[in-house]
Structures are given as C-alpha cells and as structure tokens.
Amino acid sequence: NELKDKNIKEIKGIAVSRGIYKGKVKVIKDLNKLDQANKGDVLVTIMTRPQFNACLKNVGAIITDDGGMLCHAAILAREFNIPTVVGTKIATKVLKDGDLVEVDAEKGIVKIIR
C-alpha cells in the first residue's frame, strides 16, 4: 500500500463535533467487529451506520474516511459530544490498531503520535 510507505504524521478532514482527544486507534471496517471497540478508543472507519450506534457511546473520538457535516457520524458525535473528524479520505489506510493519535476536532486535524 503506497500510503504506508509515506511517513504521514497528520491527516486532515472536516471537524464536525468539537473537542481534542488523545487515544489509541481501533480500525473497524467490518460490522461484525464492532464489539472490538473498547471504551476510550479512537474509532477509525470508512463511515458509520446505524449498526455503530451502541459502540459509539463508548469511544473517545471518531475518524472517518467519508462524510461531511450532516453524515451519520457527525450527527451522533454531536449528540454524544464526541470529538470527530470526518471526510479524511485516508484514515483507514494510514492508521493501524494501537496507533496513538491526537484528534483535534477544533481544526479537523489528526496528529499521529506513534
């Protein structure tokens, strides 16, 4: 994968629910693995769907590849007050389980710490 070769330190997207959160990444692309998101994880996914609702309440932040101000993730993030950056295009390709990131949902920037 060409994105993993580049030394990407920052991902930009649209800030849809304000806040700053630092935590460990959990990438979930498969709806059958939603139960793998632990309390406080930074959920990274292509886009959320209603099946994600139960797991979203526990996560510390959300990052998606797709979406905008009115997408499912944005609406739920504002409802539950979870810092969220959507529309990054590349989050699921760059971030791996266990990565430590800082989600700056004031500016729409995700910093990869390690």
Side-chain angles (χ1 to χ4, degrees), residues 9-29:
K9 294 281 178 230
E10 217 174 69
I11 301 171
K12 290 183 170 60
I14 305 161
V16 294
S17 179
R18 300 177 72 85
I20 295 176
Y21 184 82
K22 198 181 285 186
K24 279 198 178 143
V25 165
K26 183 65 192 173
V27 180
I28 296 183
K29 295 183 193 174

Side-chain angles (χ1 to χ4, degrees), residues 12 14 18 20 24 26 29 31 34-35 37 46-47 50 59 61 80 86 92-93 99 105 107 109 114:
K12 290 183 170 60
I14 305 161
R18 300 177 72 85
I20 295 176
K24 279 198 178 143
K26 183 65 192 173
K29 295 183 193 174
L31 291 176
L34 284 174
D35 59 344
I46 296 164
M47 63 191 275
V59 300
F80 297 126
V86 300
T92 60
K93 295 175 184 84
D99 282 353
K107 298 184 183 125
I109 296 171
R114 61 170 164 77

Side-chain angles (χ1 to χ4, degrees), residues 4-105:
K4 288 221 184 346
D5 301 338
K6 293 190 182 89
N7 211 356
I8 298 174
K9 294 281 178 230
E10 217 174 69
I11 301 171
K12 290 183 170 60
I14 305 161
V16 294
S17 179
R18 300 177 72 85
I20 295 176
Y21 184 82
K22 198 181 285 186
K24 279 198 178 143
V25 165
K26 183 65 192 173
V27 180
I28 296 183
K29 295 183 193 174
D30 180 347
L31 291 176
N32 297 321
K33 298 191 173 152
L34 284 174
D35 59 344
Q36 292 179 10
N38 296 312
K39 191 164 183 60
D41 280 351
V42 175
L43 174 67
V44 178
T45 190
I46 296 164
M47 63 191 275
T48 65
R49 298 178 168 72
Q51 293 91 321
F52 281 78
N53 289 6
C55 114
L56 287 182
K57 295 180 182 113
N58 292 323
V59 300
I62 305 167
I63 306 167
T64 69
D65 289 350
D66 299 335
M69 267 326 239
L70 296 175
C71 72
H72 180 266
I75 292 164
L76 266 84
R78 289 191 291 267
E79 190 177 319
F80 297 126
N81 202 20
I82 301 166
T84 298
V85 176
V86 300
T88 64
K89 313 242 187 306
I90 61 170
T92 60
K93 295 175 184 84
V94 174
L95 299 171
K96 300 177 299 306
D97 284 358
D99 282 353
L100 186 63
V101 296
E102 182 183 83
V103 179
D104 183 339

